[in-house]
Protein backbone atom coordinates (compact mmCIF):
# COMPACT_ATOMS: atom_id res chain seq x y z
CA UNK A 1 0.00 0.00 0.00
CA UNK A 2 2.85 2.36 0.87
CA UNK A 3 4.40 1.88 -2.58
CA UNK A 4 1.11 3.03 -4.19
CA UNK A 5 0.53 6.10 -2.05
CA UNK A 6 4.12 7.33 -1.61
CA UNK A 7 4.54 8.84 -5.13
CA UNK A 8 1.25 10.74 -4.92
CA UNK A 9 2.01 11.93 -1.39
CA UNK A 10 5.46 13.09 -2.47
CA UNK A 11 4.02 15.06 -5.39
CA UNK A 12 1.41 16.61 -3.09
CA UNK A 13 4.10 17.71 -0.62
CA UNK A 14 6.25 19.09 -3.44
CA UNK A 15 3.31 21.02 -4.91
CA UNK A 16 2.41 22.64 -1.61
CA UNK A 17 6.02 23.44 -0.74
CA UNK A 18 6.36 25.31 -4.06
CA UNK A 19 3.09 27.17 -3.45
CA UNK A 20 4.08 28.21 0.06
CA UNK A 21 7.51 29.28 -1.20
CA UNK A 22 5.91 31.66 -3.70
CA UNK A 23 3.36 32.98 -1.20
CA UNK A 24 6.13 33.67 1.31
CA UNK A 25 7.47 36.53 -0.81
CA UNK A 26 5.86 39.91 -0.07
CA UNK A 27 5.38 42.04 -3.20
CA UNK A 28 4.92 45.81 -3.27
CA UNK A 29 2.51 47.16 -5.86
CA UNK A 30 -0.09 49.86 -6.24
CA UNK A 31 -3.82 50.16 -6.68
CA UNK A 32 -5.39 52.63 -9.12
CA UNK A 33 -8.80 53.17 -10.69
CA UNK A 34 -10.17 53.46 -14.21
CA UNK A 35 -13.38 54.98 -12.85
CA UNK A 36 -16.95 53.75 -12.37
CA UNK A 37 -15.93 51.03 -9.94
CA UNK A 38 -13.14 49.49 -12.03
CA UNK A 39 -9.78 49.02 -10.30
CA UNK A 40 -6.32 47.97 -11.44
CA UNK A 41 -3.59 46.27 -9.42
CA UNK A 42 -0.06 46.86 -10.73
CA UNK A 43 2.67 44.75 -9.17
CA UNK A 44 6.21 43.70 -10.12
CA UNK A 45 6.98 39.98 -9.85
CA UNK A 46 10.37 38.24 -9.90
CA UNK A 47 11.41 37.40 -13.43
CA UNK A 48 12.41 33.97 -12.17
CA UNK A 49 8.70 33.09 -12.02
CA UNK A 50 8.82 32.74 -15.83
CA UNK A 51 12.15 30.91 -15.98
CA UNK A 52 12.00 27.90 -18.30
CA UNK A 53 8.43 28.65 -19.35
CA UNK A 54 7.82 27.94 -23.04
CA UNK A 55 4.03 28.14 -22.91
CA UNK A 56 2.46 30.01 -25.82
CA UNK A 57 -0.80 30.69 -24.06
CA UNK A 58 -1.63 34.36 -23.45
CA UNK A 59 -3.96 33.29 -20.62
CA UNK A 60 -2.35 33.18 -17.19
CA UNK A 61 -3.77 33.48 -13.73
CA UNK A 62 -2.33 34.00 -10.29
CA UNK A 63 -3.66 33.37 -6.81
CA UNK A 64 -3.59 36.63 -4.86
CA UNK A 65 -3.33 36.97 -1.09
CA UNK A 66 -3.92 40.39 0.46
CA UNK A 67 -3.27 40.17 4.18
CA UNK A 68 -4.97 43.48 5.02
CA UNK A 69 -8.25 42.15 3.60
CA UNK A 70 -8.09 38.57 4.83
CA UNK A 71 -5.44 36.42 6.47
CA UNK A 72 -6.90 33.22 5.01
CA UNK A 73 -8.44 34.03 1.62
CA UNK A 74 -6.50 33.46 -1.62
CA UNK A 75 -8.33 34.33 -4.84
CA UNK A 76 -7.58 33.53 -8.52
CA UNK A 77 -7.22 36.46 -10.94
CA UNK A 78 -6.46 36.38 -14.66
CA UNK A 79 -3.75 38.89 -15.49
CA UNK A 80 -4.43 41.40 -18.26
CA UNK A 81 -0.71 41.34 -19.10
CA UNK A 82 0.59 39.13 -21.89
CA UNK A 83 3.52 37.64 -20.00
CA UNK A 84 5.58 36.42 -22.97
CA UNK A 85 5.63 39.87 -24.57
CA UNK A 86 6.27 41.59 -21.24
CA UNK A 87 9.20 39.29 -20.55
CA UNK A 88 10.69 39.76 -24.03
CA UNK A 89 10.39 43.55 -24.03
CA UNK A 90 11.71 44.13 -20.50
CA UNK A 91 15.40 44.90 -20.21
CA UNK A 92 17.53 41.84 -19.48
CA UNK A 93 19.12 43.75 -16.60
CA UNK A 94 15.78 44.04 -14.84
CA UNK A 95 15.05 41.17 -12.48
CA UNK A 96 11.35 42.02 -12.30
CA UNK A 97 8.48 42.35 -14.74
CA UNK A 98 5.38 44.43 -14.06
CA UNK A 99 1.98 42.80 -14.44
CA UNK A 100 -1.59 44.04 -13.92
CA UNK A 101 -4.93 42.73 -12.73
CA UNK A 102 -8.37 44.21 -13.33
CA UNK A 103 -11.36 43.90 -11.01
CA UNK A 104 -14.61 45.44 -9.87
CA UNK A 105 -15.43 45.48 -6.20
CA UNK A 106 -18.29 43.20 -5.17
CA UNK A 107 -20.24 45.09 -2.53
CA UNK A 108 -22.38 43.23 -0.06
CA UNK A 109 -26.04 43.49 -1.02
CA UNK A 110 -29.30 42.65 0.69
CA UNK A 111 -32.08 40.63 -1.01
CA UNK A 112 -34.37 42.58 -3.31
CA UNK A 113 -38.06 42.98 -2.49
CA UNK A 114 -38.92 40.84 -5.52
CA UNK A 115 -36.67 38.05 -4.27
CA UNK A 116 -38.16 38.25 -0.78
CA UNK A 117 -41.70 38.08 -2.22
CA UNK A 118 -40.87 34.84 -4.06
CA UNK A 119 -39.41 33.28 -0.90
CA UNK A 120 -41.53 34.11 2.18
CA UNK A 121 -39.27 32.08 4.48
CA UNK A 122 -36.31 34.27 3.47
CA UNK A 123 -38.36 37.38 4.23
CA UNK A 124 -38.95 36.12 7.78
CA UNK A 125 -35.27 35.46 8.38
CA UNK A 126 -34.20 38.75 6.82
CA UNK A 127 -36.66 40.75 8.92
CA UNK A 128 -34.96 39.41 12.04
CA UNK A 129 -31.45 40.16 10.79
CA UNK A 130 -31.95 43.50 9.07
CA UNK A 131 -30.84 45.45 12.14
CA UNK A 132 -27.39 43.93 11.55
CA UNK A 133 -25.26 43.95 8.40
CA UNK A 134 -26.73 41.32 6.10
CA UNK A 135 -23.40 40.34 4.69
CA UNK A 136 -19.79 41.11 5.51
CA UNK A 137 -17.83 43.20 2.99
CA UNK A 138 -16.43 41.23 0.07
CA UNK A 139 -12.70 40.69 -0.45
CA UNK A 140 -12.48 43.00 -3.47
CA UNK A 141 -14.46 45.67 -1.63
CA UNK A 142 -11.92 45.63 1.18
CA UNK A 143 -9.02 46.11 -1.25
CA UNK A 144 -10.79 48.91 -3.11
CA UNK A 145 -11.69 50.71 0.12
CA UNK A 146 -8.08 51.81 0.66
CA UNK A 147 -8.13 53.75 -2.60
CA UNK A 148 -11.68 54.99 -2.03
CA UNK A 149 -10.61 56.49 1.30
CA UNK A 150 -7.67 58.25 -0.33
CA UNK A 151 -9.89 59.67 -3.07
CA UNK A 152 -12.44 60.80 -0.50
CA UNK A 153 -9.78 62.57 1.57
CA UNK A 154 -8.30 64.37 -1.43
CA UNK A 155 -11.72 65.34 -2.77
CA UNK A 156 -12.00 67.97 -0.04
CA UNK A 157 -8.68 69.65 -0.84
CA UNK A 158 -7.00 68.76 -4.13
CA UNK A 159 -9.48 67.29 -6.63
CA UNK A 160 -11.20 69.73 -8.96
CA UNK A 161 -12.97 67.15 -11.15
CA UNK A 162 -13.63 63.43 -11.44
CA UNK A 163 -10.90 62.90 -14.05
CA UNK A 164 -8.22 63.68 -11.47
CA UNK A 165 -9.28 60.58 -9.53
CA UNK A 166 -7.72 58.47 -12.30
CA UNK A 167 -4.27 59.83 -11.37
CA UNK A 168 -4.50 58.71 -7.74
CA UNK A 169 -2.97 55.46 -6.54
CA UNK A 170 -2.19 53.85 -3.18
CA UNK A 171 0.51 51.39 -2.18
CA UNK A 172 -0.47 47.75 -1.85
CA UNK A 173 1.32 44.71 -0.41
CA UNK A 174 0.42 41.34 -1.89
CA UNK A 175 1.55 37.75 -2.10
CA UNK A 176 1.17 35.97 -5.45
CA UNK A 177 1.18 32.31 -6.36
CA UNK A 178 1.70 31.55 -10.02
CA UNK A 179 1.57 31.99 -12.94
CA UNK A 180 -0.67 29.13 -14.06
CA UNK A 181 -1.29 29.00 -17.80
CA UNK A 182 -4.50 27.88 -19.49
CA UNK A 183 -4.04 25.60 -22.53
CA UNK A 184 -4.63 27.99 -25.41
CA UNK A 185 -2.73 28.95 -28.56
CA UNK A 186 -4.84 31.38 -30.62
CA UNK A 187 -1.96 31.94 -33.08
CA UNK A 188 -2.88 28.60 -34.77
CA UNK A 189 -6.24 29.99 -35.94
CA UNK A 190 -7.15 32.58 -38.52
CA UNK A 191 -9.64 34.36 -36.24
CA UNK A 192 -9.91 34.64 -32.49
CA UNK A 193 -13.25 35.71 -31.01
CA UNK A 194 -13.38 36.65 -27.34
CA UNK A 195 -16.94 36.25 -26.01
CA UNK A 196 -16.71 37.90 -22.61
CA UNK A 197 -19.02 39.50 -20.08
CA UNK A 198 -18.27 41.82 -17.17
CA UNK A 199 -14.83 41.32 -15.63
CA UNK A 200 -14.30 38.38 -17.99
CA UNK A 201 -12.71 41.05 -20.18
CA UNK A 202 -9.38 40.45 -18.36
CA UNK A 203 -8.42 37.39 -20.41
CA UNK A 204 -9.51 39.12 -23.62
CA UNK A 205 -7.15 42.04 -22.89
CA UNK A 206 -4.24 39.60 -22.52
CA UNK A 207 -5.19 37.93 -25.82
CA UNK A 208 -5.40 41.34 -27.50
CA UNK A 209 -1.91 42.05 -26.14
CA UNK A 210 -0.61 38.89 -27.81
CA UNK A 211 -2.23 39.89 -31.10
CA UNK A 212 -0.81 43.41 -30.79
CA UNK A 213 2.68 41.95 -30.37
CA UNK A 214 2.22 39.67 -33.39
CA UNK A 215 0.97 42.45 -35.65
CA UNK A 216 3.71 44.81 -34.53
CA UNK A 217 6.40 42.21 -35.17
CA UNK A 218 4.97 41.67 -38.65
CA UNK A 219 4.85 45.35 -39.57
CA UNK A 220 8.00 46.58 -37.85
CA UNK A 221 10.03 43.39 -37.62
CA UNK A 222 11.01 44.37 -34.11
CA UNK A 223 13.45 41.83 -32.62
CA UNK A 224 12.25 42.51 -29.07
CA UNK A 225 9.01 40.60 -29.45
CA UNK A 226 9.00 36.89 -28.56
CA UNK A 227 9.61 34.56 -31.48
CA UNK A 228 7.15 32.07 -30.04
CA UNK A 229 4.36 34.44 -31.02
CA UNK A 230 5.50 35.01 -34.59
CA UNK A 231 6.26 31.36 -35.43
CA UNK A 232 2.61 30.72 -36.34
CA UNK A 233 1.40 33.12 -39.09
CA UNK A 234 -2.20 31.88 -39.17
CA UNK A 235 -3.62 34.49 -36.77
CA UNK A 236 -5.02 37.38 -38.80
CA UNK A 237 -7.99 38.70 -36.85
CA UNK A 238 -8.77 39.29 -33.18
CA UNK A 239 -12.30 40.28 -32.19
CA UNK A 240 -13.54 41.07 -28.68
CA UNK A 241 -17.28 41.00 -28.04
CA UNK A 242 -17.79 42.45 -24.57
CA UNK A 243 -21.16 42.28 -22.87
CA UNK A 244 -21.35 44.69 -19.94
CA UNK A 245 -24.06 46.49 -17.98
CA UNK A 246 -24.53 50.03 -19.22
CA UNK A 247 -24.21 51.29 -15.64
CA UNK A 248 -20.86 49.49 -15.26
CA UNK A 249 -19.27 50.43 -18.58
CA UNK A 250 -16.08 52.46 -18.73
CA UNK A 251 -13.36 52.98 -21.35
CA UNK A 252 -10.54 50.66 -20.31
CA UNK A 253 -7.08 52.07 -21.22
CA UNK A 254 -5.40 48.61 -21.46
CA UNK A 255 -7.97 47.61 -24.06
CA UNK A 256 -7.54 50.83 -26.05
CA UNK A 257 -3.75 50.34 -26.22
CA UNK A 258 -4.19 47.15 -28.27
CA UNK A 259 -5.79 48.94 -31.20
CA UNK A 260 -5.30 46.05 -33.66
CA UNK A 261 -8.11 44.12 -32.00
CA UNK A 262 -11.70 44.82 -33.06
CA UNK A 263 -13.84 45.58 -30.02
CA UNK A 264 -17.63 45.33 -30.04
CA UNK A 265 -19.35 46.48 -26.83
CA UNK A 266 -22.84 45.19 -26.07
CA UNK A 267 -24.42 47.31 -23.35
CA UNK A 268 -27.01 45.47 -21.29
CA UNK A 269 -29.49 46.53 -18.65
CA UNK A 270 -33.16 47.41 -18.23
CA UNK A 271 -34.87 47.74 -21.60
CA UNK A 272 -31.86 46.53 -23.58
CA UNK A 273 -31.68 43.23 -25.48
CA UNK A 274 -29.22 40.55 -24.45
CA UNK A 275 -26.28 39.64 -26.61
CA UNK A 276 -27.23 37.26 -29.43
CA UNK A 277 -24.17 35.01 -29.46
CA UNK A 278 -25.60 32.75 -32.16
CA UNK A 279 -26.01 35.64 -34.61
CA UNK A 280 -22.59 37.06 -33.74
CA UNK A 281 -20.73 33.80 -34.34
CA UNK A 282 -22.69 33.10 -37.54
CA UNK A 283 -21.70 36.51 -38.87
CA UNK A 284 -18.01 35.91 -38.18
CA UNK A 285 -18.18 32.42 -39.69
CA UNK A 286 -19.63 33.77 -42.96
CA UNK A 287 -16.64 36.11 -43.41
CA UNK A 288 -14.02 33.38 -42.92
CA UNK A 289 -11.74 32.22 -45.77
CA UNK A 290 -12.20 28.59 -46.89
CA UNK A 291 -10.82 25.99 -44.46
CA UNK A 292 -9.90 28.69 -41.93
CA UNK A 293 -10.66 28.08 -38.26
CA UNK A 294 -12.07 30.17 -35.43
CA UNK A 295 -10.92 29.95 -31.84
CA UNK A 296 -13.26 31.37 -29.20
CA UNK A 297 -12.36 32.44 -25.69
CA UNK A 298 -15.34 32.48 -23.33
CA UNK A 299 -15.41 34.14 -19.93
CA UNK A 300 -18.06 35.66 -17.69
CA UNK A 301 -20.91 34.53 -15.43
CA UNK A 302 -21.79 30.82 -15.45
CA UNK A 303 -24.99 31.25 -17.48
CA UNK A 304 -23.20 33.33 -20.10
CA UNK A 305 -20.43 30.74 -20.41
CA UNK A 306 -22.85 27.83 -20.84
CA UNK A 307 -24.81 29.69 -23.51
CA UNK A 308 -21.65 30.56 -25.45
CA UNK A 309 -20.33 27.00 -25.18
CA UNK A 310 -23.60 25.63 -26.61
CA UNK A 311 -23.34 27.97 -29.59
CA UNK A 312 -19.68 27.13 -30.27
CA UNK A 313 -20.26 23.37 -30.00
CA UNK A 314 -22.85 23.58 -32.78
CA UNK A 315 -20.35 25.16 -35.22
CA UNK A 316 -18.01 22.81 -37.07
CA UNK A 317 -15.21 25.33 -37.67
CA UNK A 318 -15.03 26.64 -34.10
CA UNK A 319 -12.87 25.48 -31.22
CA UNK A 320 -13.16 27.17 -27.87
CA UNK A 321 -11.76 27.56 -24.38
CA UNK A 322 -14.07 28.48 -21.50
CA UNK A 323 -12.56 30.06 -18.42
CA UNK A 324 -13.11 27.96 -15.31
CA UNK A 325 -11.77 27.88 -11.76
CA UNK A 326 -12.72 24.27 -11.09
CA UNK A 327 -9.97 22.22 -9.48
Amino acid sequence: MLYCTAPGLAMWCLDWSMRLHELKLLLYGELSTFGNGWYCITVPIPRSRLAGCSCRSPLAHFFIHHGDSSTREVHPFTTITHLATKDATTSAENNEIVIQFLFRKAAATAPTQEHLARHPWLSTIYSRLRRKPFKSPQWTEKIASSLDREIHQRSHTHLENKEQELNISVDLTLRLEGPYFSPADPSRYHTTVCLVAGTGISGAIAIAGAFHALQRSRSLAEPGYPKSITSEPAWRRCIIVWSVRESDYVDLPPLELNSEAQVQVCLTGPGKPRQDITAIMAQFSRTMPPNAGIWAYISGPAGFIENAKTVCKAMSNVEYHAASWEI
Side-chain angles (χ1 to χ4, degrees):
M1 187 69 176
L2 177 62
Y3 292 104
C4 297
T5 59
L9 181 62
M11 290 299 296
W12 183 85
C13 293
L14 177 62
D15 176 61
W16 271 102
S17 64
M18 294 176 65
R19 290 184 174 188
L20 294 174
H21 176 72
E22 291 182 345
L23 288 171
K24 181 176 67 175
L25 179 63
L26 192 63
L27 303 173
Y28 298 90
E30 66 177 27
L31 176 68
S32 58
T33 180
F34 294 138
N36 200 22
W38 292 85
Y39 296 84
C40 180
I41 296 175
T42 303
V43 59
I45 64 170
R47 201 166 195 162
S48 58
R49 294 280 183 101
L50 301 180
C53 178
S54 59
C55 184
R56 295 187 178 190
S57 175
L59 300 171
H61 69 271
F62 293 75
F63 288 88
I64 300 180
H65 176 269
H66 182 242
D68 293 337
S69 297
S70 174
T71 57
R72 294 177 298 175
E73 293 183 51
V74 180
H75 293 271
F77 279 82
T78 299
T79 177
I80 64 174
T81 304
H82 181 226
L83 297 181
T85 299
K86 195 69 174 181
D87 185 37
T89 56
T90 301
S91 171
E93 299 176 355
N94 196 334
N95 293 325
E96 296 179 327
I97 63 171
V98 178
I99 64 174
Q100 292 183 312
F101 301 92
L102 180 69
F103 73 92
R104 279 184 59 85
K105 62 180 178 181
T109 56
T112 64
Q113 291 299 321
E114 180 183 356
H115 189 67
L116 292 174
R118 291 200 306 267
H119 305 282
W121 59 269
L122 181 60
S123 179
T124 304
I125 296 174
Y126 178 58
S127 64
R128 296 178 181 177
L129 298 176
R130 61 184 176 182
R131 292 186 180 88
K132 301 179 181 179
F134 185 76
K135 202 173 185 181
S136 61
Q138 297 295 312
W139 189 79
T140 51
E141 185 183 12
K142 292 179 181 178
I143 294 182
S145 64
S146 60
L147 180 59
D148 292 342
R149 286 193 300 268
E150 181 68 18
I151 292 175
H152 179 72
Q153 291 173 2
R154 295 197 191 185
S155 64
H156 298 295
T157 54
H158 301 92
L159 298 182
E160 297 179 358
N161 54 64
K162 281 286 185 180
E163 292 184 0
Q164 291 182 340
E165 293 182 2
L166 307 183
N167 299 322
I168 298 177
S169 63
V170 294
D171 294 335
L172 207 61
T173 54
L174 303 166
R175 301 178 192 273
L176 264 62
E177 176 197 339
Y180 295 97
F181 290 91
S182 299
D185 185 8
S187 63
R188 297 192 297 112
Y189 302 85
H190 179 276
T191 296
T192 293
V193 180
C194 300
L195 301 171
V196 294
T199 55
I201 189 69
S202 292
I205 293 176
I207 292 171
F211 187 67
H212 172 79
L214 172 60
Q215 294 296 86
R216 191 164 184 177
S217 65
R218 282 170 172 163
S219 60
L220 302 179
E222 292 191 5
Y225 287 83
K227 293 182 179 180
S228 61
I229 297 176
T230 61
S231 60
E232 296 285 353
W235 198 6
R236 298 294 174 180
R237 189 168 57 162
C238 180
I239 304 166
I240 299 175
V241 183
W242 183 26
S243 178
V244 60
R245 292 190 186 95
E246 186 175 21
S247 58
D248 296 343
Y249 176 76
V250 69
D251 292 328
L252 296 175
L255 189 59
E256 295 175 352
L257 289 175
N258 302 311
S259 56
E260 288 85 356
Q262 304 173 36
V263 181
Q264 298 182 14
V265 179
C266 178
L267 298 178
T268 63
K272 293 185 176 292
R274 290 194 174 186
Q275 190 180 65
D276 190 344
I277 297 177
T278 302
I280 290 172
M281 293 301 294
Q283 177 187 353
F284 295 147
S285 182
R286 286 194 297 268
T287 60
M288 292 290 293
N291 302 320
I294 298 177
W295 182 76
Y297 169 69
I298 306 169
S299 183
F304 176 88
I305 291 177
E306 289 304 316
N307 183 28
K309 286 169 60 176
T310 300
V311 173
C312 292
K313 286 178 181 178
M315 304 181 69
S316 60
N317 63 334
V318 176
E319 295 185 27
Y320 68 89
H321 170 78
S324 173
W325 302 116
E326 295 180 356
I327 299 176

